[in-house]
Amino acid sequence: MKFNLKKTGLLLTGLLAGSTLFAQTPDSAATKNYVQPFSPGSAFRTWSFGLNGGITSPYTFIGGKQDFKNRGTELGYGGFIKYQMLPSFGLQGDYFRGKLTGSGASTTGASPYGSFSTDINWSAALSANITLANINWRHNKGVIQPYLTLGGGYMEFTPSVKNTTGASVAIASNTTTFQEFFIPVGLGLKFDIAPGVNFNLGYQMNFVNSDFVDGYATGAGNDKFSYAHAGLEFALGSRSKPQLATHNPVSSMRYEYIMKAKALQDQVDAEKAKNEKLQADLAATNSSLATTNSNLDATNAKVNSLTKDSDGDGVPDFFDKCPNTPSGSKVDGSGCPLPKAENVKVYVTEADKKVVRDAIANLEFDLGKATIRSHSLPSLNKVAELLINKNFSLKLAGHTDSQGSDDFNMSLSKDRAESIKAYLVSKGANASRIEATGYGETQPIASNKTAAGRQKNRRVEFTLY
């Protein structure tokens, strides 16, 4: 395979010089790739990997020592993984495999060999990647970013040589496979073809710390070779984040300035419109204020006439059908005196007394508490209905046995009477007609020395009247 590396180098140089001609200028690009200035690295896609393939040759642009006159071109391929630390600086690990060939007399003197062929079994290097044109003060985002690489690593290669008749001969060394340190130096162009996807064109010179890369050590200096390649780079991470290596922070700064200026202008315009509306509303308010005051005076006069109460019975003259009612008279809604209620006698029947007796017989509380047990409630409900329907009054007297302190028994008897009253009121009974009193252990009806006597003394008495 023949390949004119000089012409290729001129082409790469031309692309490098003209990279700023390709740029996205619409503000839509700035919006899409906007990241707030001084954001952490997590706001970007910082990891990427790439694959490439291309042409290898013992020839380099800088010339120098060549052990064979004719330099062949062969295929090579490789890949890398990169971490972008800054918009213009990243670290990448490179891997490469390929082949080198050459023939003809040595450029440094007579050679015992007619040709060589070297397999580069593997090479691994860590390189700094410096992006030159992603920070741009003229465009939102450049389509092309030139870059330089410099690093160091190790490689393993196996050279073989042939004499001028084409027969293989042993190289002048005690081994056929070498591992040596090398320094890769490169440059290239990165083309943004899609979000997070870049097309790379690159040229790399590899300076090996050995003169046996071509299998022939002669003269002063070590061997070197070149690798011209093309490939694709893929950014890792969320597609919603821009790739740090192609991000232009100047564009984000400009976009933020424009957005803040626009927001400030919108605020000024809104305040101006608000003030103009307030002025218009104030003028309209002032023009109607006189009319409002006049209407208010007329309304106040009407209100005074409607609320005037000459006889002081609480009913305005406008609604009073019985004017001049004597002071202190109770009147209805039309201002007329209410009829006097006649005294009505209330009689407690035997059936009423039975309702109360049943309630007393079924009444139980939780031990040492004023909580009424649930099975006592139906009987109390009947007492409440009696109080409501016949408007009776009721006296509740709570009593305890002699166990416990005097103060506790007095409090417990009072709480139990109040608990019954509260329940009857909750069922609709008139609270003003129920009296609840506690007597503690002061009024026993049986001996407190026996359990049966104490049981009788723990009671609440109902007096209906």
Side-chain angles (χ1 to χ4, degrees):
M1 179 185 295
K2 299 297 182 180
F3 188 77
N4 193 326
L5 293 177
K6 289 186 177 181
K7 290 183 179 180
T8 303
L10 292 175
L11 175 61
L12 291 174
T13 304
L15 289 173
L16 180 63
S19 64
T20 57
L21 297 177
F22 299 92
Q24 296 177 358
T25 56
D27 283 343
S28 60
T31 303
K32 183 177 180 181
N33 294 280
Y34 169 75
V35 175
Q36 185 177 16
F38 309 110
S39 293
S42 58
F44 301 91
R45 284 193 275 181
T46 55
W47 285 94
S48 62
F49 73 94
L51 302 172
N52 53 63
I55 303 299
T56 62
S57 174
Y59 176 80
T60 62
F61 282 146
I62 62 175
K65 175 179 175 294
Q66 297 292 337
D67 295 338
F68 290 84
K69 182 177 182 181
N70 300 319
R71 280 82 66 182
T73 55
E74 300 292 341
L75 294 178
Y77 61 91
F80 66 87
I81 185 167
K82 183 176 69 171
Y83 174 65
Q84 196 72 26
M85 303 174 66
L86 300 170
S88 298
F89 180 80
L91 289 176
Q92 70 181 46
D94 295 289
Y95 176 81
F96 170 75
R97 288 195 68 178
K99 189 174 184 178
L100 298 172
T101 59
S103 63
S106 169
T107 59
T108 58
S111 170
Y113 307 119
S115 64
F116 81 94
S117 176
T118 298
D119 291 326
I120 301 175
N121 302 322
W122 57 264
S123 73
L126 181 64
S127 301
N129 186 298
I130 302 171
T131 306
L132 302 178
N134 58 344
I135 299 178
N136 197 314
W137 291 90
R138 296 181 57 203
H139 305 290
N140 286 324
K141 185 171 184 284
V143 175
I144 303 177
Q145 287 89 33
Y147 65 86
L148 299 174
T149 60
L150 174 64
Y154 269 86
M155 61 183 297
E156 180 182 281
F157 56 92
T158 303
S160 62
V161 293
K162 296 181 179 180
N163 59 24
T164 55
T165 64
S168 297
V169 296
I171 62 175
S173 173
N174 58 357
T175 181
T176 59
T177 299
F178 300 85
Q179 291 184 359
E180 290 290 351
F181 177 78
F182 77 104
I183 297 175
V185 179
L187 56 83
L189 298 174
K190 182 185 299 182
F191 297 80
D192 301 337
I193 60 176
V197 180
N198 309 308
F199 176 69
N200 282 341
L201 286 178
Y203 180 78
Q204 180 176 299
M205 294 180 293
N206 301 279
F207 299 87
V208 187
N209 187 33
S210 172
D211 194 20
F212 261 96
V213 175
D214 55 10
Y216 179 40
T218 181
N222 293 325
D223 292 332
K224 54 187 175 296
F225 66 94
S226 63
Y227 176 45
H229 56 85
L232 293 175
E233 178 186 17
F234 302 92
L236 301 175
S238 173
R239 291 177 59 87
S240 62
K241 299 178 182 180
Q243 186 179 359
L244 181 58
T246 61
H247 177 68
N248 182 13
V250 175
S251 176
S252 289
M253 293 172 62
R254 172 181 175 273
Y255 179 75
E256 180 157 301
Y257 166 77
I258 292 174
M259 289 300 99
K260 287 185 176 180
K262 184 179 183 302
L264 181 60
Q265 186 61 50
D266 291 344
Q267 184 178 356
V268 170
D269 293 342
E271 290 294 330
K272 182 178 179 182
K274 182 179 179 180
N275 289 335
E276 291 175 351
K277 186 177 184 303
L278 287 175
Q279 293 293 335
D281 292 343
L282 181 60
T285 301
N286 290 335
S287 66
S288 63
L289 185 58
T291 302
T292 302
N293 288 334
S294 176
N295 293 337
L296 182 60
D297 292 340
T299 301
N300 287 335
K302 292 181 180 180
V303 169
N304 290 334
S305 66
L306 292 174
T307 59
K308 184 178 180 181
D309 182 12
S310 300
D311 56 9
D313 60 0
V315 179
D317 293 349
F318 183 81
F319 301 101
D320 198 342
K321 294 181 179 181
C322 298
N324 303 318
T325 303
S327 177
S329 299
K330 295 183 178 181
V331 298
D332 58 17
S334 61
C336 296
L338 292 171
K340 294 183 179 180
E342 297 181 358
N343 292 329
V344 179
K345 291 185 177 181
V346 177
Y347 295 96
V348 179
T349 67
E350 192 62 33
D352 299 335
K353 294 178 181 179
K354 184 178 184 306
V355 171
V356 173
R357 287 196 299 270
D358 290 343
I360 295 174
N362 293 321
L363 182 62
E364 287 188 13
F365 295 91
D366 288 343
L367 182 63
K369 299 181 180 179
T371 306
I372 305 172
R373 292 185 175 178
S374 59
H375 71 267
S376 302
L377 300 182
S379 298
L380 291 177
N381 291 341
K382 293 181 180 180
V383 175
E385 292 176 2
L386 192 61
L387 297 177
I388 296 169
N389 295 335
K390 293 194 174 184
N391 202 25
F392 284 147
S393 296
L394 180 66
K395 180 178 180 180
L396 300 168
H399 302 272
T400 68
D401 58 25
S402 62
Q403 291 184 327
S405 67
D406 293 347
D407 291 340
F408 174 77
N409 289 333
M410 184 64 71
S411 176
L412 179 60
S413 64
K414 174 67 173 175
D415 290 345
R416 285 180 171 177
E418 289 289 352
S419 178
I420 296 173
K421 177 180 177 179
Y423 181 77
L424 295 175
V425 171
S426 71
K427 293 300 179 178
N430 188 344
S432 65
R433 289 186 171 273
I434 303 175
E435 178 186 356
T437 307
Y439 295 96
E441 59 184 86
T442 63
Q443 298 180 8
I445 60 175
S447 174
N448 281 313
K449 295 181 179 180
T450 65
R454 289 192 295 271
Q455 175 67 33
K456 292 180 179 180
N457 290 333
R458 295 193 295 270
R459 69 196 187 281
V460 176
E461 296 176 345
F462 289 54
T463 304
L464 194 65
Y465 60 96

